[in-house]
Amino acid sequence: MVFTPHGRHLIAGAWVSGETTFASAPASGPVHRFSVGTPALVERACAAAEEAFWSYGYSTRESRAAFLEAIADEIEARAEAITEIGTQETGLPEARLQGERGRTVGQLRLFAVHIRKGDYLDRRHDPALPERQPLPRPDIRLLERPIGPVAVFGASNFPLAFSTAGGDTAAALAAGCPVVVKGHSAHPGTGEIVAEAVHAAITSLGLHPGVFSLIQGGDRHVGTALVTNPLIKAVGFTGSLAGGRALFDLCASRPEPIPFFGELGSVNPMFLLEHALAARADALGAGWAGSLTMGAGQFCTNPGIAVVLEGEHADRFTQSARAALERTGAQVMLTEGIARAYREGQARFEARNAVTPVLSTESEGRMARPNLYETTAEAYLQDHALGEEVFGPLGLVVRVRGPEEMAALARGFEGQLTATIHMEDADLAAAQALLPILERKAGRVLVNGFPTGVEVCDAMVHGGPYPASTNFGATSVGTLSIRRFLRPVSYQNFPQGLLPEDLR
């Protein structure tokens, strides 16, 4: 299947052209032009989503499950074309795009299974106690209900799994919420073909066309208009701290504030305990380098900091990591802007006396080479900038003088998506002392692994205390993420015929 983008927006079932266009900036292949989004298009899409909610928000779980499965089928039917344009736009290898497509359709189907089971509804019932003294108790039932239209922002680093039909969209549609997507200008063609798949599923099942719209980017006012539209009831976002915080503030300042579920990234520290470092320093260094450079380091769970006990084993670990990084060639980054920010992040490290270069390389254009630096816990705690995420294959080794200093360093970290403990059985006591700190810092704590991969499942948490995310009680990956787009409603003294179907 050959796919040539037409460059239009999908607004409530109609492909709409804008007055102005922007050119794509692919890593390879042809340049295409796409219509620039406008606040007027946002208003149309949101109005259609609100209209669709009155049918879709009250549809059966089975019909929504069938819709999610139909989207997955339509994406798979376009598999080769999605891979082709995805690799052209992002520079990601085919295997990565194929794997990400598998994750995308997998999470759609996982949510179909999840809502069929019905556990997410959190159904509760307190029967009436008419004889209770001094006052009788009424009959009270509880059910989770969808909140209304949801805005989703496509992510630059995941053109499929976190974008048009990615996790936020899947969770919102599963909950019964129509979705308005703001496409990311880094991969507009990929967004368009996936939107075609969603549109095909809507058409085949006869759903209200306002259940899904895609508005391409190209203008920052589109995002502002979307999060401030009074019909939008929640926002899902994956991106930078600066961009996410700006949108979060807009959501909070609305006449009716709404939740902003922003996943903003982190440095994902790893703590290498004494016996693990002594037993596996070389293997841990090589493994860290592989995780650090996976996808050119463009994962929000990229483990950017390794905390080690100073000494000869720390030397072995650092040199092993350096050797593995030296063998890694330059990798293409997702956009020119991300590549430029990576070079600026490296320059920030190079300009600091608090760090020592272990491997310092030059990156040019859209290509990135790995870099490695080293510092002490004392220097790290005195320089807040060392804890800021550098999006790309850059690592920092922080040497500590003992378990007490390691614990102090852990307390000094801001909120993280992940934190990792590398340990042997003999490290159990040290790990037990460290764990309560890490639980307060991260949404996911790992033992003897690397956090770059995120499993889509019931028990996964992809979120954490600020600034890793704007809502520490939520996750953007896994079936628990559906709760972001639901709210509990109590039904008191309802006759059976009036109760929602899921409570009868």
Side-chain angles (χ1 to χ4, degrees):
M1 177 181 179
V2 177
F3 175 73
T4 302
H6 50 64
R8 290 174 286 174
H9 315 276
L10 177 63
I11 309 294
W15 290 101
V16 180
S17 297
E19 295 182 1
T20 58
T21 63
F22 68 93
S24 64
S28 62
V31 173
H32 301 285
R33 300 203 69 83
F34 294 85
S35 295
V36 175
T38 66
L41 289 173
V42 170
E43 188 172 350
R44 285 175 55 184
C46 293
E50 173 67 14
E51 182 181 335
F53 181 72
W54 294 109
S55 58
Y56 188 72
Y58 297 87
S59 60
T60 66
R61 288 182 281 123
E62 177 56 39
S63 66
R64 295 199 303 277
F67 178 36
L68 295 171
E69 289 169 340
I71 296 173
D73 291 342
E74 294 290 350
I75 290 174
E76 290 285 34
R78 295 160 175 78
E80 292 183 7
I82 289 173
T83 299
E84 180 181 24
I85 193 162
T87 54
Q88 289 175 355
E89 290 187 321
T90 66
L92 295 171
E94 287 188 6
R96 158 67 192 275
L97 266 296
Q98 291 164 351
E100 192 180 330
R101 188 185 70 250
R103 171 176 167 176
T104 303
V105 300
Q107 59 198 12
L108 286 163
R109 292 184 172 124
L110 176 64
F111 273 111
V113 172
H114 185 64
I115 62 176
R116 282 191 176 108
K117 291 178 180 176
D119 295 344
Y120 78 98
L121 294 168
D122 197 16
R123 288 173 282 206
R124 305 182 185 202
H125 183 204
D126 291 300
L129 298 175
E131 307 302 325
R132 191 183 68 175
Q133 296 296 328
L135 294 172
R137 185 178 75 186
D139 184 271
I140 302 176
R141 300 170 189 258
L142 179 146
L143 184 71
E144 295 282 353
R145 298 295 298 143
I147 59 174
V150 170
V152 171
F153 284 71
S156 64
N157 59 334
F158 280 88
L160 298 174
F162 273 94
S163 290
T164 308
D168 289 344
T169 297
L173 292 177
C177 299
V179 171
V180 179
V181 173
K182 178 190 174 292
H184 200 289
S185 56
H187 44 77
T190 309
E192 182 184 302
I193 191 172
V194 174
E196 284 190 356
V198 180
H199 177 53
I202 291 171
T203 303
S204 68
L205 296 175
L207 301 180
H208 190 295
V211 76
F212 175 87
S213 292
L214 168 71
I215 303 170
Q216 295 286 12
D219 188 331
R220 60 182 296 184
H221 295 101
V222 174
T224 298
L226 188 53
V227 301
T228 56
N229 187 286
L231 298 176
I232 293 296
K233 299 305 178 185
V235 179
F237 173 89
T238 297
S240 70
L241 174 60
R245 182 56 198 247
L247 294 173
F248 172 83
D249 290 344
L250 285 172
C251 288
S253 64
R254 288 174 31 146
E256 177 201 2
I258 59 172
F260 177 85
F261 298 104
E263 190 271 279
L264 310 179
S266 63
V267 294
N268 306 294
M270 303 190 313
F271 297 83
L272 284 66
L273 303 187
E274 178 184 3
H275 297 280
L277 187 62
R280 296 182 275 126
D282 296 328
L284 287 170
W288 181 42
S291 182
L292 196 65
T293 57
M294 184 182 297
Q298 298 169 114
F299 287 86
C300 43
T301 52
N302 184 28
I305 293 181
V307 181
V308 300
L309 294 167
E310 65 179 7
E312 62 174 311
H313 302 309
D315 295 340
R316 287 171 48 214
F317 168 80
T318 302
Q319 291 307 312
S320 175
R322 172 180 174 164
L325 292 174
E326 286 179 326
R327 294 192 294 269
T328 304
Q331 296 172 280
V332 63
M333 301 201 83
L334 291 159
T335 68
E336 293 283 357
I338 290 174
R340 181 170 57 253
Y342 174 66
R343 294 193 298 272
E344 292 170 352
Q346 181 194 358
R348 189 173 73 240
F349 274 72
E350 293 282 351
R352 278 174 159 72
N353 293 327
V355 300
T356 301
V358 178
L359 176 64
S360 180
T361 66
E362 291 188 9
S363 299
E364 298 179 351
R366 200 160 160 173
M367 306 300 291
R369 295 184 181 277
N371 290 276
L372 183 61
Y373 297 88
E374 192 173 64
T375 191
T376 64
E378 182 180 7
Y380 180 90
L381 291 171
Q382 292 176 357
D383 191 347
H384 180 271
L386 295 179
E388 296 176 2
E389 181 185 24
V390 177
F391 197 59
L394 185 146
L396 176 65
V397 177
V398 182
R399 294 189 181 229
V400 298
R401 289 172 290 191
E404 295 79 12
E405 193 169 53
M406 182 176 285
L409 184 67
R411 291 189 184 94
F413 278 110
E414 294 183 316
Q416 304 291 327
L417 294 172
T418 75
T420 302
I421 300 172
H422 288 282
M423 60 176 288
E424 297 285 302
D425 291 344
D427 292 312
L428 181 60
Q432 289 173 330
L434 193 60
L435 180 58
I437 305 172
L438 301 187
E439 285 179 335
R440 295 188 66 184
K441 296 294 181 178
R444 176 165 57 114
V445 184
L446 299 78
V447 171
N448 292 338
F450 297 97
T452 317
V454 180
E455 185 70 27
V456 182
C457 60
D458 291 329
M460 177 53 64
V461 173
H462 189 63
Y466 186 85
S469 66
T470 56
N471 189 311
F472 57 75
T475 174
S476 62
V477 176
T479 54
L480 188 66
S481 65
I482 195 174
R483 293 192 181 182
R484 298 174 297 168
F485 308 123
L486 298 165
R487 66 180 182 88
V489 177
S490 287
Y491 300 85
Q492 184 169 323
N493 286 338
F494 265 53
Q496 279 289 319
L498 188 58
L499 282 169
E501 183 175 344
D502 283 320
L503 277 177
R504 294 176 190 171

